[in-house]
Amino acid sequence: MGNADQNESDVIFILLGFSDYPELQIPLFLVFLVIYIITVVGNLGMIVTIRFNPKLHTPMYNFLCHLSFIDFCYSSVITPKLLQILVVEDRTISFAPCITQYSFASICVVTEAFLLAVMAYDRFVAICRPLLYVVVMSQKRCALMLTAVYIWGMISTGIFLYSLLILSFSGTKIINNFLCEYSAILSASTSDKHVTETILFILANFNTFFTLIIVLTSYAFIFVTVLKMHSATGRYKAFSTCASHLTAVTIFYGIILFLYCLPSSKISWLLVRVNTVFYTVVISMLNPLIYSLRNKDVKEAIRKLLEMPARWCSG
């Protein structure tokens, strides 16, 4: 740890971003700026909508409220720096801001993965064990699950962070992307990386596949239960309550598995950057849109919220 402290102040990272496409810098800046504005408005709007509508004070919408909060935080950690490097010549970032960006982004990613798993479990209980739903998903138990999700996000990131900070760093390193991520920071180290890489492999795979197993298992039971329903209306209602979450989960894990499970030799750096954009920037914008467009309760709550100023003016 001491060696790292002595030279980490001299470490400089250069975020290449999309600098190899100079003619696209301004168009990309405008596109990402619009995406960020929609993300902020959409996620904060979702939080306000849920908090101000008593009808939405249920476990499912409480989890959705936290998902919107995490998406807002994640986008705010990544997108401002992306916008900056698109319009300025200086794309350097020192060690401390780089490790800070990585830390907050990691907390958001791990927390979101486990929150999506908790939301899948919530749908499993609602559809497969409806008579026990109020007991199983009590306010106290939901609070405990949410607390556990946030705590594990911080613990997991703390382990990742410790595994990096025990290394020694020096020199200027190029990151062929627009954000500070684990492997890029690791490449700047002059120490033996075997232990750190082992920690990354074990913990990252645990987080990904443990949460994915919970999601897949929950939906396997949901699918079987729905197929056994005799009423077509009941089947439609059950599937409709899961549609938004299933869409969000498919996009989230689909991009993660594409990015990290395919050999790097099979995909170009441009494709990696494009997928990273979807993973870090676009998903945070899509989630509130998916839930607001596919959920009748949320659409109705948004409509009522938008009508409030008109009612105040007329009153």
Side-chain angles (χ1 to χ4, degrees):
M1 188 86 174
N3 292 335
D5 290 337
Q6 290 171 8
N7 54 22
E8 66 185 27
S9 60
D10 300 325
V11 181
I12 297 293
F13 294 102
I14 301 174
L15 299 168
L16 291 184
F18 293 91
S19 58
D20 42 349
Y21 298 92
E23 70 283 1
L24 295 178
Q25 299 297 293
I26 299 303
L28 285 174
F29 173 84
L30 295 174
V31 168
F32 291 134
L33 179 61
V34 170
I35 289 175
Y36 183 57
I37 292 171
I38 294 172
T39 301
V40 171
V41 173
N43 284 293
L44 293 182
M46 184 68 75
I47 293 171
V48 171
T49 300
I50 292 170
R51 291 302 182 199
F52 278 83
N53 194 306
K55 186 180 177 181
L56 301 182
H57 292 176
T58 64
M60 181 175 75
Y61 293 112
N62 186 29
F63 294 141
L64 177 56
C65 188
H66 285 271
L67 180 66
S68 292
F69 171 71
I70 293 167
D71 281 333
F72 166 74
C73 292
Y74 191 30
S75 183
S76 297
V77 168
I78 301 296
T79 311
K81 187 64 182 179
L82 168 59
L83 293 173
Q84 179 190 342
I85 65 174
L86 283 169
V87 293
V88 298
E89 291 293 328
D90 184 13
R91 294 184 172 87
T92 60
I93 182 171
S94 58
F95 185 86
C98 190
I99 205 82
T100 300
Q101 185 195 53
Y102 162 74
S103 300
F104 282 107
S106 176
I107 290 172
C108 292
V109 172
V110 176
T111 303
E112 180 156 343
F114 278 85
L115 182 58
L116 287 171
V118 169
M119 292 172 76
Y121 176 72
D122 171 73
R123 291 299 83 207
F124 157 74
V125 178
I127 294 171
C128 302
R129 303 287 186 272
L131 298 178
L132 297 174
Y133 184 77
V134 176
V135 177
V136 176
M137 301 302 295
S138 65
Q139 189 174 0
K140 182 179 180 181
R141 187 165 295 182
C142 288
L144 287 173
M145 285 192 287
L146 282 170
T147 302
V149 162
Y150 281 106
I151 289 176
W152 178 248
M154 290 184 281
I155 290 174
S156 188
T157 297
I159 295 171
F160 285 135
L161 196 57
Y162 176 76
S163 70
L164 286 173
L165 294 180
I166 59 175
L167 303 174
S168 296
F169 295 88
S170 65
T172 300
K173 296 293 178 180
I174 292 175
I175 298 179
N176 199 2
N177 214 321
F178 57 85
L179 76 164
C180 292
E181 41 93 18
Y182 193 93
S183 59
I185 299 172
L186 189 62
S187 69
S189 173
T190 55
S191 305
D192 180 18
K193 305 178 182 72
H194 178 70
V195 174
T196 300
E197 288 172 340
T198 302
I199 292 173
L200 170 66
F201 178 81
I202 294 173
L203 194 52
N205 278 285
F206 169 78
N207 288 337
T208 301
F209 291 104
F210 179 75
T211 53
L212 189 56
I213 287 170
I214 293 174
V215 171
L216 293 176
T217 304
S218 297
Y219 276 103
F221 280 107
I222 289 171
F223 186 71
V224 171
T225 302
V226 171
L227 287 181
K228 291 179 180 179
M229 292 180 179
H230 300 295
S231 167
T233 306
R235 286 197 296 269
Y236 174 77
K237 186 177 180 181
F239 274 128
S240 65
T241 62
C242 299
S244 301
H245 180 257
L246 194 55
T247 303
V249 164
T250 301
I251 296 172
F252 182 82
Y253 283 101
I255 294 176
I256 287 181
L257 294 175
F258 181 84
L259 274 175
Y260 296 108
C261 292
L262 283 181
S264 57
S265 59
K266 299 281 184 180
I267 47 179
S268 68
W269 275 109
L270 175 60
L271 195 56
V272 169
R273 278 175 284 174
V274 170
N275 276 277
T276 305
V277 165
F278 273 92
Y279 178 49
T280 57
V281 178
V282 178
I283 286 180
S284 296
M285 176 191 70
L286 288 179
N287 280 342
L289 295 178
I290 290 169
Y291 280 95
S292 60
L293 292 175
R294 298 185 67 94
N295 190 294
K296 291 181 180 179
D297 291 336
V298 174
K299 283 194 286 187
E300 180 65 19
I302 292 173
R303 186 184 65 79
K304 288 181 179 179
L305 199 64
L306 292 175
E307 289 176 353
M308 286 175 66
R311 287 200 297 267
W312 291 338
C313 292
S314 62

